[in-house]
Amino acid sequence: MTMTCPECETEYDITGKTDWNCPVCHPKKVKKWRAENKEKVDRYVRKSHFKECYGITIEEYDQMLLKQGGVCAICKQPPGKRRLAVDHCHTTQNIRSLLCTTCNVGLGSFKDDPKLLEAAIEYLKKGGS
């Protein structure tokens, strides 16, 4: 079974489909709507990301951010272009705090291993800088 789009007159197959949107017009409309509603889209993406990845709401994230004074839990700097990351233990999935990208990537590079981090500290102390 086929349909013809009343706007662009593209004919397309709808056999077995539940979505009868025009494959030519619909993506353009969605792109336009997203551009005109960037704040709504960003909030929706954040909301679903926090819930799916960490099991928290935007409000819980905002509470953590407020409790930390709006800064990274390690370097105490405010976020740059990106929001603070939700740092969590990859073994237990327990949320620890919010970190800037640099600190979050740093911990990940050391595989969240305190012994490696202590070794790095000792290395830096010996560096003679």
Side-chain angles (χ1 to χ4, degrees), residues 110-124:
F110 284 98
K111 300 173 180 66
D112 293 347
D113 185 339
K115 290 179 183 172
L116 283 176
L117 286 164
E118 288 167 3
I121 291 167
E122 289 305 312
Y123 170 81
L124 289 173

Side-chain angles (χ1 to χ4, degrees), residues 39-78:
E39 194 171 303
K40 284 182 183 178
V41 172
D42 288 348
R43 185 156 180 84
Y44 175 80
V45 169
R46 283 180 63 210
K47 181 179 179 180
S48 56
H49 173 75
F50 288 146
K51 204 59 164 166
E52 283 178 33
C53 295
Y54 311 111
I56 64 172
T57 65
I58 291 176
E59 292 76 21
E60 289 169 316
Y61 175 92
D62 290 342
Q63 274 300 116
M64 290 175 68
L65 187 61
L66 188 63
K67 188 176 178 181
Q68 286 182 209
V71 298
C72 172
I74 294 176
C75 70
K76 308 299 183 205
Q77 294 298 307

Side-chain angles (χ1 to χ4, degrees), residues 13-128:
D13 185 21
I14 60 166
T15 307
K17 295 182 180 176
T18 56
D19 177 9
W20 292 4
N21 291 311
C22 172
V24 175
C25 294
H26 187 67
K28 292 176 186 175
K29 289 177 185 177
V30 169
K31 187 175 182 178
K32 182 180 181 215
W33 185 88
R34 285 183 176 174
E36 292 170 353
N37 295 277
K38 188 163 177 21
E39 194 171 303
K40 284 182 183 178
V41 172
D42 288 348
R43 185 156 180 84
Y44 175 80
V45 169
R46 283 180 63 210
K47 181 179 179 180
S48 56
H49 173 75
F50 288 146
K51 204 59 164 166
E52 283 178 33
C53 295
Y54 311 111
I56 64 172
T57 65
I58 291 176
E59 292 76 21
E60 289 169 316
Y61 175 92
D62 290 342
Q63 274 300 116
M64 290 175 68
L65 187 61
L66 188 63
K67 188 176 178 181
Q68 286 182 209
V71 298
C72 172
I74 294 176
C75 70
K76 308 299 183 205
Q77 294 298 307
K81 292 180 183 177
R82 300 183 72 180
R83 69 175 177 269
L84 296 178
V86 178
D87 180 49
H88 65 286
C89 174
H90 289 258
T91 306
T92 66
Q93 300 302 316
N94 290 338
I95 295 173
R96 295 186 280 230
S97 62
L98 304 177
L99 302 178
C100 70
T101 301
T102 302
C103 291
N104 194 37
V105 169
L107 285 183
S109 296
F110 284 98
K111 300 173 180 66
D112 293 347
D113 185 339
K115 290 179 183 172
L116 283 176
L117 286 164
E118 288 167 3
I121 291 167
E122 289 305 312
Y123 170 81
L124 289 173
K125 286 180 180 177
K126 292 178 190 174

